[in-house]
């Protein structure tokens, strides 16, 4: 395989998680009787541009299908995050009724709903039918398609150049990262701004977040690699912020290379220096990750087996993609973990891909009164522990498995 950015032959492995079905391919009861498609889940490192990336096995249309079940609005943490984002962008870039805002991978319209509330014209671009429908129900204008240079050119020809493009948690999700980045340079007004949020590879490695690796994530991103991609695409990074969301993310600000309005802040060079000092442009930095992931996996499996032998009641919370990676790599099945609770009605009554653990509503927690609730989306554990604080009334405890097994 060659690097999807610079075409260098890939020889160095970052991690091999065996194989798994797509992490958001939840199963109906009827589909339990059918075979599942499992794909190898191996991640490689480019030693030229340092882009970390999965092997190519599944087409994006298979991963982001019309039954895609991730709806961002079900997280109050995310709602607060995007509300704050809109407030910051409006103030920093003087956005108003004469501006035009586009969100790429707009999901169910959670972010754009706050843009619309301010009377700012906006447009969502979202390839998954289920979430695009939810956004339209909010009264938002949505193009149901994958974003790339071709679609960007079509929008330009229709006079829809944009002042701000938001791209949260999507840069890692695109197989053709070069074409995707070029599309932003095409669609932006001369002095327009594009912001990209994505989990920071540095935090993934530091905190052993191997469960954030799944097929929908084609790339795992450092600022070093993103700068290389953007430079070639005609974009200039002029600012970067480190965020706590999703276990440690970056918000990268970019503009067209011919824009002279946006001056580069010191934070860009400082973070590039930090990545270099951490060794992110060395092979050794990546090759030690497998052992760390294996320990976290083994510790969880040992906990589940011991709990079963002690006749303790277990459940999990959050039918999240990261949880599916963890459970499938550990080989967990319903005999060790009978059910997982999720607020999203689109997931309730279905089964996790691979493990085939049933997804239920919160009502079952009250009925079963488990001794332990394993929080799979550890990135919002505070939100979940607050929501489910009542389990402590019967002596229940919370558990997270990443970065290491811990009771709360």
């Amino acid at each position: 395989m060659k690097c999807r950015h610079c075409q260098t032959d890939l020889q160095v492995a970052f991690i091999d998680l065996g194989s798994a079905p797509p992490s958001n391919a939840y199963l109906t009861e009827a589909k339990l009787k059918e075979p599942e498609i499992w794909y190898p889940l191996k991640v490689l490192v480019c030693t030229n541009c340092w882009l970390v990336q999965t092997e190519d096995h599944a087409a994006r249309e298979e991963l982001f299908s019309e039954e895609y079940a991730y709806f961002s609005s079900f997280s109050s943490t995310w709602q607060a995050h995007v509300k704050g984002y809109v407030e910051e962008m409006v103030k920093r870039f003087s956005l108003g009724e004469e501006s035009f805002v586009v969100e790429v991978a707009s999901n169910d319209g959670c972010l754009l709903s706050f843009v619309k509330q301010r009377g700012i014209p906006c447009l969502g671009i979202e390839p998954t039918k289920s979430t695009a429908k939810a956004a339209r129900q909010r009264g938002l204008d949505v193009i149901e398609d994958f974003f790339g240079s071709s679609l960007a050119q079509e929008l330009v020809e229709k006079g829809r150049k944009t002042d701000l493009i938001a791209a949260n948690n999507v840069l890692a999700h695109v197989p053709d990262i070069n074409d995707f980045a070029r599309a932003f340079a095409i669609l932006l007004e001369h002095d327009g701004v594009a912001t990209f949020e994505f989990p920071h590879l540095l935090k993934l490695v530091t905190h052993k977040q191997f469960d954030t690796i799944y097929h929908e994530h084609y790339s795992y991103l450092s600022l070093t690699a993103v700068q290389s991609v953007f430079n070639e695409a005609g974009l200039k990074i002029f600012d970067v912020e480190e965020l706590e969301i999703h276990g440690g993310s970056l918000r990268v600000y970019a503009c067209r290379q011919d824009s002279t309005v946006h001056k580069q802040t010191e934070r860009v060079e400082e973070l590039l220096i930090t990545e270099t000092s951490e060794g992110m442009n060395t092979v050794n930095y990546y090759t030690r990750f497998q052992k760390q992931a294996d320990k976290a996996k083994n510790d969880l499996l040992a906990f589940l087996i011991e709990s079963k032998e002690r006749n303790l009641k277990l459940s999990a919370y959050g039918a999240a993609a990261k949880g599916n990676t963890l459970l499938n790599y550990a080989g967990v099945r319903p005999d060790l973990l009978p059910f997982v609770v999720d607020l999203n009605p689109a997931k309730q009554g279905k089964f996790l891909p691979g493990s085939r653990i049933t997804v239920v509503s919160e009502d079952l927690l009250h009925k079963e009164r488990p001794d332990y609730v394993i929080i799979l989306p550890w990135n919002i554990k505070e939100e979940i522990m607050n929501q489910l604080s009542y389990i402590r009334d019967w002596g229940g405890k919370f558990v997270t498995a990443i970065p290491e097994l811990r009771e709360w």
Side-chain angles (χ1 to χ4, degrees), residues 21 23 25-27 32 36 316 318-320 323-324 327-328 337 339-340 347 350-359 376:
S23 284
Y26 297 88
L27 303 169
L32 289 179
E36 283 184 86
N324 291 328
L327 297 177
N328 284 321
L337 191 61
F339 64 91
V340 57
K347 295 181 181 180
K350 294 184 178 179
F351 301 82
L352 300 183
S355 67
R356 301 194 166 200
I357 296 170
T358 184
V359 183
L376 297 175

Side-chain angles (χ1 to χ4, degrees), residues 385-405:
M385 289 193 293
N386 182 60
Q387 176 189 333
L388 306 182
S389 61
Y390 57 81
I391 75 163
R392 300 192 189 278
D393 295 343
W394 62 74
K397 298 179 181 178
F398 297 102
V399 173
T400 51
I402 305 295
E404 58 266 324
L405 194 74

Side-chain angles (χ1 to χ4, degrees), residues 19 52 65 100 144 176 197 263 294 296 298 312 315 353 364 378:
S19 62
V52 177
S65 68
F100 183 47
E144 197 172 309
D176 190 344
E197 290 184 18
K263 305 300 181 183
D294 287 347
N298 293 338
L312 298 176
S315 70
L364 197 59
W378 44 260

Side-chain angles (χ1 to χ4, degrees), residues 129 247 396:
K129 183 177 182 179

